[in-house]
Amino acid sequence: MSEALHGTVALVTGASSGIGEAAARALAAHGAAVALVARRKDRLEHLGAEIEGNGGRALVLLTDVTDASQARAAVEQTVADLGRLDIVVNNAGVMLLGPADEAPLDEWERMLSLNLGGLLNITHAAIPHLLRAADAAPRRVADLVNVSSVAGRVARPNAAVYDLTKFGVSGFSESARQEFARRHLRVAAVEPGVVLTELTDHIRDGVREATRERLGSIEGLESEDVADAIAYIVTRPRRVALNEVVIRPTEQDW
Ligand SMILES: NC(=O)c1ccc[n+]([C@@H]2O[C@H](COP(=O)([O-])OP(=O)(O)OC[C@H]3O[C@@H](n4cnc5c(N)ncnc54)[C@H](OP(=O)(O)O)[C@@H]3O)[C@@H](O)[C@H]2O)c1
């Protein structure tokens, strides 16, 4: 357990599984109090109990981040209960791959409303609190970490709308970085390649197995590998900002 984030508060979306769960655990291990945001109560409560059992502090917030009022309530509840907000990890996302000419419109809408809408809902509510934390002890710097993807850098077939959302996250992050740099709110886009999580579970029948076969042809990253990168980003000295981090499995040649 390090003390690098002692006295700070982090909010992680999508903390009930995969990268978000690992990131919440990693930030708590560095001493941050952590607000755990997602919809699955049992998973969040289990993680919250684990963090508290290890001497940390966790707040479970059952939240659908696609709903702007729920997202705002999660941010406000974090500040009310934990006292401040220094770090936001916008991680919740869904990847519904498949040929565009067969895609149900509903899948495109789900990706837009979560990968972009959810991120924007949380960010909009969080900015004033992050700017306040960026001006305050103990760190005098704050962090907005947006989980994008290699799919936010390189477009591929069968991923048009997922790519659209992740290119959007990368673009939004760079613009926000420039806007907030002088106020010490650091903005980072984290762009993982293949990570072994539940992400492919939601892909429709007929596409899911082929996708898993393709992604499974290499040794993928563990969620903890990406969480390590996130923890590294937010534990840098005040003068250091990692703005874009691509993290691929060694064997990923695309
Ligand atoms: N796995 C990869 O290969 C990979 C690669 C690059 C980027 N990424 C990105 O990494 C992020 C995390 O994905 P993952 O791989 O860790 O997948 P995951 O295990 O499926 O995690 C997705 C998380 O999002 C949450 N979520 C879904 N809908 C939500 C909603 N409406 N409101 C709040 N939370 C919601 C889920 O929790 P609930 O269902 O409990 O709400 C879950 O905790 C995503 O943005 C994904 O695009 C993943």
Side-chain angles (χ1 to χ4, degrees):
M1 186 119 168
S2 111
E3 290 297 307
L5 299 177
H6 183 73
T8 71
V9 174
L11 181 153
V12 181
T13 71
S16 58
S17 61
I19 295 168
E21 178 182 350
R25 207 177 263 125
L27 299 183
H30 283 288
V34 190
L36 308 173
V37 172
R39 298 166 305 171
R40 282 171 295 176
K41 187 167 185 270
D42 51 335
R43 302 280 289 257
L44 291 184
E45 285 180 346
H46 191 265
L47 177 62
E50 178 197 311
I51 288 171
E52 300 229 325
N54 289 330
R57 184 147 185 225
L59 176 66
V60 168
L61 294 169
L62 290 183
T63 307
D64 181 341
V65 297
T66 65
D67 179 318
S69 59
Q70 288 190 41
R72 180 161 302 276
V75 168
E76 297 306 333
Q77 194 67 47
T78 300
V79 175
D81 286 16
L82 302 177
R84 55 191 290 150
L85 183 58
D86 301 81
I87 299 165
V88 166
V89 181
N90 275 315
N91 161 78
V94 68
M95 177 183 77
L96 304 171
L97 303 182
D101 60 345
E102 296 164 11
L105 187 57
D106 153 73
E107 290 194 347
W108 291 3
E109 286 164 353
R110 282 167 60 201
M111 287 189 279
L112 290 172
S113 72
L114 180 59
N115 301 5
L116 293 176
L119 180 145
L120 295 178
N121 289 338
I122 289 286
T123 302
H124 190 266
I127 283 171
H129 300 292
L130 290 171
L131 288 172
R132 207 164 298 130
D135 215 17
R139 296 193 312 156
R140 295 189 304 118
V141 70
D143 289 285
L144 177 64
V145 179
N146 296 324
V147 179
S148 178
S149 170
V150 163
R153 299 170 64 88
V154 187
R156 298 269 171 202
N158 298 332
V161 178
Y162 186 66
D163 292 348
L164 162 67
T165 65
K166 294 304 187 179
F167 270 74
V169 172
S170 294
F172 177 78
S173 301
E174 172 56 16
S175 176
R177 178 193 77 73
Q178 294 174 25
E179 202 170 321
F180 296 124
R182 298 286 176 112
R183 286 188 274 175
H184 298 103
L185 170 53
R186 300 184 291 207
V187 182
V190 176
E191 299 164 342
V194 177
V195 191
L196 304 169
T197 69
E198 299 171 15
L199 196 66
T200 54
D201 291 4
H202 313 287
I203 297 174
R204 65 180 181 268
D205 293 346
V207 180
R208 190 173 48 245
E209 285 319 315
T211 304
R212 283 189 175 149
E213 210 167 292
R214 188 172 64 82
L215 301 181
S217 67
I218 58 166
E219 181 185 2
L221 298 174
E222 303 287 339
S223 294
E224 289 70 22
D225 300 325
V226 183
D228 271 356
I230 293 171
Y232 184 80
I233 289 167
V234 303
T235 55
R236 290 313 85 207
R238 182 174 186 255
R239 64 182 179 278
V240 181
L242 277 85
N243 300 126
E244 199 175 2
V245 175
V246 186
I247 172 169
R248 287 188 179 88
T250 303
E251 295 177 359
Q252 184 169 341
D253 54 6
W254 64 89

